[in-house]
Amino acid sequence: MISAPVTPDESALSPMLDLESIYKIYGSGNTQVRALEDVNLRIYPGEFISIIGPSGSGKSTLMNMLGCLDVPTAGAYRFWGTEIGKLDSDQLALIRRNYIGFIFQSFNLLGRTQAIENVELPLIYKGVGRAQRRARALRALDAVGLAARATHTPAELSGGQQQRVAIARALVTEPSLLLADEPTGNLDTATTIEILELLRRLNREENRTIVMVTHEPEVAAFTDRVLEFRDGKLERDGTPEDVLS
Amino acid sequence: MKYRDTIGMAVRAIARNKVRSFLTALGIIIGVASIIAIVQIGEATTRNVTDQISSIGSNLIMVQVGRARRGRGSAPPFTVKDYEALKKEVSQIHVAPSANTRATLVYGNLNHDAQVTGTTNDYLQIRNREVVAGRDFSDEELAAGAPVCILGQTVIDTIFGRDDPLGKVLRINQIACQVIGILDPKGNSMGSDEDDIVLMPLRAVQRRLLGTRDITMIYVSVLAGSDTKQAKNEIEKLLRQRRSPAADGYDDFTVQDMQEIVDTLAGVTNALTALLGIIAAVSLLVGGIGIMNIMLVSVTERTREIGLRLAIGARAADVLTQFLIEAIVVSCMGGFLGIMLGLLGSWAATHAMGMPFVFSPNVALIGFSFSAAIGVIFGYLPARKAAKLNPIEALRHE
């Protein structure tokens, strides 16, 4: 059963992510690079968003900032109301640990390590006990349809299966926000659709908030809201029909 | 996160790369093994020397005549009165006189040259010897200087062959002498055959073989629990009264206690062990640098893994701990294997040299803590490098 897409009602809901006039500037003087320039953005719980734009448009920088891997040079980024720019690296790690799940283009699974152990990894840092870790990792693998492959190592899995293990790893901590950086960049068309449908199902059925970076319009078309970046600026923000046409 | 999980993570990381982990630990294995082996062999040698000397009697004091005051040769021998004075006036000791000469023993058509010692039954006690067959001297035999003897095993083997020597009569420098006892075999000690010996009553040797009332040397053993040094001082004081020293202050006798000899020998072995131990410690240091090397390479190679760990919520301190524990676990496993190898090697070596193998847990403990310390010291730099990585750059690392 597919429920209706969640449409954010700006007046009723408080935003999960609130970016106010964000700048990210590398270097200084003549070699200064403005990776992000005056970005204003609000993301609400339950949204399924894609970020598109050419290389160097600032979409990866924004992704790192949303994921609390990086802090803005200027402007305010609030995560559930917490000002991220004022946190030190340990506090940022705690935000990532508790509220954010990452999905990467190259999966980043530990080699020669069983799928279930890969999925357990974030729970180890959260200090979850061994038995509960196992149970939660199995549930997450089941959610991506890979419970039967729990003891396989990445080398024994196909690309699509590896990415699904990585998605299970991102889901296992029940994060508020799933960040996917070109999740289908290394996959063929059939597998790409498989992964995108999995992400859409997680969004629709489990109400997960997902932000995905991609450079393929067909991939962006799977989402509900598209943000287009160009030269560090947020150029367009709207439904796939509006932005991609 | 919990320490048990960190250790588990480190162990799994090591297990993922077994060959490399083994090669990393190899330097530590060899370093610890050589330290353990050297110290163990050194200790076995010391123990061996000490055992030999204590079989002579570590509380033994030997009183001998020194060099003559004028001209060449020895100072005049001790007299029976000197011996009796020692026995009477110094407390807490056993005293045995000894009048020595070499003599030819003849039995049947076989003959043998041996050391003949004229003494009393105290000699047996002082030198830790036992009469294993027959008996020791009776009071009458000692008083009369009867021609009876107690033989060492080498003498028996040489001139009696398979005959039972007890009760037989042999000739010592033409004197007919009855065998009344057999000494326990002791074997070689510090290069001389302890069994090539004939004991006779003091008076028998003095009257029948030497024709004097001289005493060549006096053996003293200090009773257990008494101070050897103090006894030695008392003996020296008494002998100085009886044999006044020369104008230049030199005594014409020597009083040597076995403990001095033990100390000298132990000092030499300890110095040698320490020297070799230092060389082995250098190899342990090199092993530690090997660990640092491979860990640094491993950090570079695992940059993406570190980036991932940071992205999913590991703090810098968590990454530092993980890599530090990996280094410690590798070096501790190396230390454990090294201890095993070192013990095996030293066991084989002491076995081959016919020395006693003594396991000293202290050495194993020191070897193990050394390797753990090496892990901390040489693992810290790579671990810090890992912890300082920027997660974004680490994730982008190819």
Side-chain angles (χ1 to χ4, degrees):
Chain A
M1 190 193 82
I2 292 177
S3 57
V6 179
T7 41
D9 181 350
E10 300 210 9
S11 57
L13 280 167
S14 60
M16 179 161 75
L17 309 180
D18 187 358
L19 287 77
E20 223 177 276
S21 186
I22 294 287
Y23 285 81
K24 184 68 193 183
I25 301 167
Y26 295 107
S28 58
N30 290 337
T31 56
Q32 202 179 60
V33 176
R34 298 188 161 211
L36 287 178
E37 204 173 339
D38 196 23
V39 175
N40 290 283
L41 178 66
R42 284 180 172 185
I43 294 172
Y44 293 84
E47 284 198 282
F48 187 17
I49 299 176
S50 58
I51 301 175
I52 60 169
S55 311
S57 60
K59 57 186 195 301
S60 288
T61 308
L62 179 76
M63 197 66 169
N64 290 334
M65 199 161 297
L66 293 182
C68 299
L69 288 166
D70 207 351
V71 290
T73 313
Y77 168 32
R78 282 182 288 273
F79 193 113
W80 285 129
T82 303
E83 174 84 56
I84 292 302
K86 290 187 178 147
L87 302 181
D88 65 24
S89 67
D90 280 358
Q91 289 167 318
L92 290 176
L94 290 179
I95 297 265
R96 294 197 294 271
R97 180 185 297 183
N98 291 309
Y99 300 108
I100 299 171
F102 285 94
I103 301 164
F104 305 94
Q105 177 175 0
S106 49
F107 322 139
N108 281 333
L109 298 176
L110 297 187
R112 299 186 216 176
T113 303
Q114 294 179 0
I116 187 145
E117 288 179 358
N118 266 295
V119 176
E120 276 181 47
L121 202 57
L123 297 179
I124 293 180
Y125 289 111
K126 282 189 87 164
V128 177
R130 180 190 291 234
Q132 219 205 333
R133 234 160 46 207
R134 272 282 126 133
R136 283 172 68 174
L138 254 182
R139 225 181 306 144
L141 276 174
D142 194 39
V144 299
L146 275 182
R149 313 257 172 190
T151 58
H152 289 226
T153 62
E156 296 162 352
L157 297 170
S158 72
Q161 287 171 329
Q162 288 185 51
Q163 190 59 300
R164 283 197 276 164
V165 173
I167 292 171
R169 181 181 63 196
L171 285 174
V172 76
T173 55
E174 304 279 330
S176 310
L177 176 65
L178 269 185
L179 290 175
D181 190 358
E182 305 253 15
T184 59
N186 283 358
L187 302 175
D188 60 39
T189 317
T191 323
T192 295
I193 291 168
E194 194 183 296
I195 292 296
L196 288 173
E197 278 179 343
L198 171 64
L199 289 176
R200 190 157 64 183
R201 186 169 59 78
L202 291 170
N203 173 254
R204 298 279 195 276
E205 290 179 16
E206 299 183 22
N207 207 23
R208 304 261 176 222
T209 313
I210 302 176
V211 177
M212 173 171 76
V213 165
T214 181
H215 60 268
E216 293 171 83
E218 309 86 69
V219 172
F222 266 82
T223 61
D224 302 324
R225 181 178 169 195
V226 180
L227 310 174
E228 190 183 353
F229 275 79
R230 200 167 288 273
D231 299 329
K233 295 192 188 84
L234 178 56
E235 286 278 310
R236 284 197 281 181
D237 178 358
T239 61
E241 292 78 26
D242 295 341
V243 178
L244 297 174
S245 58
Chain B
M1 85 185 276
K2 295 165 183 160
Y3 267 93
R4 205 188 56 198
D5 293 328
T6 319
I7 293 169
M9 218 145 70
V11 169
R12 275 195 294 276
I14 290 163
R16 274 202 289 276
N17 240 318
K18 291 190 187 69
V19 175
R20 171 195 284 187
S21 305
F22 176 73
L23 289 176
T24 312
L26 198 57
I28 297 287
I29 295 175
I30 292 171
V32 170
S34 37
I35 286 186
I36 298 279
I38 286 164
V39 175
Q40 283 285 101
I41 292 171
E43 215 150 275
T45 314
T46 312
R47 181 70 67 97
N48 195 27
V49 171
T50 324
D51 280 357
Q52 280 191 3
I53 288 169
S54 69
S55 77
I56 300 168
S58 64
N59 52 353
L60 179 68
I61 296 175
M62 290 192 289
V63 185
Q64 286 169 292
V65 292
R67 292 218 347 250
R69 295 215 174 103
R70 263 182 304 258
R72 300 180 193 177
S74 307
F78 301 110
T79 63
V80 174
K81 286 205 168 92
D82 291 328
Y83 155 64
E84 280 166 351
L86 277 182
K87 196 168 179 175
K88 210 173 85 191
E89 291 180 31
V90 184
S91 57
Q92 303 290 315
I93 59 172
H94 288 294
V95 190
S98 162
N100 299 330
T101 183
R102 287 200 80 81
T104 307
L105 319 178
V106 181
Y107 178 77
N109 57 354
L110 293 171
N111 66 75
H112 177 60
D113 272 355
Q115 167 97 5
V116 178
T117 298
T119 187
T120 62
N121 286 329
D122 287 332
Y123 178 91
L124 299 170
Q125 188 184 4
I126 292 170
R127 300 296 310 268
N128 279 339
R129 301 301 296 254
E130 259 181 83
V131 176
V132 289
R135 57 176 178 85
D136 56 10
F137 305 119
S138 69
D139 289 345
E140 292 76 31
E141 286 164 348
L142 286 168
V148 292
C149 60
I150 300 171
L151 302 182
Q153 196 60 46
T154 306
V155 177
I156 294 166
D157 292 345
T158 315
I159 59 173
F160 285 95
R162 289 184 185 171
D163 289 1
D164 180 9
L166 280 182
K168 301 276 164 34
V169 174
L170 74 162
R171 292 189 169 273
I172 302 178
N173 281 5
Q174 313 301 325
I175 311 290
C177 188
Q178 192 183 27
V179 181
I180 57 164
I182 299 170
L183 285 175
D184 54 335
K186 277 240 162 163
N188 281 311
S189 169
M190 319 229 313
S192 69
D193 185 355
E194 295 273 300
D195 298 326
D196 193 6
I197 188 176
V198 178
L199 299 184
M200 291 177 75
L202 175 66
R203 284 200 156 183
V205 172
Q206 285 179 331
R207 282 191 196 158
R208 295 169 198 267
L209 296 177
L210 293 173
T212 63
R213 285 179 56 86
D214 295 346
I215 288 175
T216 324
M217 62 184 292
I218 301 170
Y219 293 102
V220 175
S221 83
V222 182
L223 296 187
S226 295
D227 186 6
T228 309
K229 296 280 174 242
Q230 195 195 329
K232 198 180 141 188
N233 288 340
E234 283 180 39
I235 292 166
E236 281 173 340
K237 206 169 128 197
L238 180 71
L239 285 176
R240 267 182 214 125
Q241 284 169 9
R242 303 186 63 87
R243 298 164 67 101
S244 49
D248 55 8
Y250 281 104
D251 294 326
D252 66 347
F253 61 90
T254 61
V255 181
Q256 244 191 329
D257 99 64
M258 288 311 269
Q259 194 57 44
E260 286 170 359
I261 301 171
V262 172
D263 290 349
T264 313
L265 287 172
V268 171
T269 357
N270 285 347
L272 209 62
T273 306
L275 187 73
L276 291 170
I278 288 169
I279 295 171
V282 170
S283 78
L284 197 57
L285 191 76
V286 174
I289 293 170
I291 287 208
M292 184 161 67
N293 241 320
I294 300 202
M295 289 297 291
L296 280 171
V297 172
S298 166
V299 166
T300 310
E301 204 184 77
R302 288 160 69 189
T303 300
R304 282 171 75 91
E305 178 196 324
I306 296 161
L308 168 81
R309 290 180 184 275
L310 291 168
I312 62 174
R315 287 167 307 175
D318 296 327
V319 173
L320 184 98
T321 317
Q322 185 196 339
F323 276 83
L324 204 53
I325 286 182
E326 266 182 47
I328 294 170
V329 170
V330 165
S331 42
C332 282
M333 291 200 304
F336 183 74
L337 286 176
I339 289 168
M340 291 294 127
L341 201 68
L343 288 179
L344 200 73
S346 55
W347 178 80
T350 50
H351 199 71
M353 290 189 276
M355 292 192 299
F357 175 74
V358 200
F359 171 66
S360 73
N362 277 350
V363 176
L365 204 68
I366 288 168
F368 197 73
S369 13
F370 246 102
S371 48
I374 289 273
V376 174
I377 293 165
F378 292 100
Y380 182 74
L381 192 72
R384 204 185 54 157
K385 188 185 167 198
K388 277 191 161 178
L389 286 175
N390 175 317
I392 298 169
E393 282 162 23
L395 278 168
R396 223 183 277 147
H397 185 88
E398 288 304 326

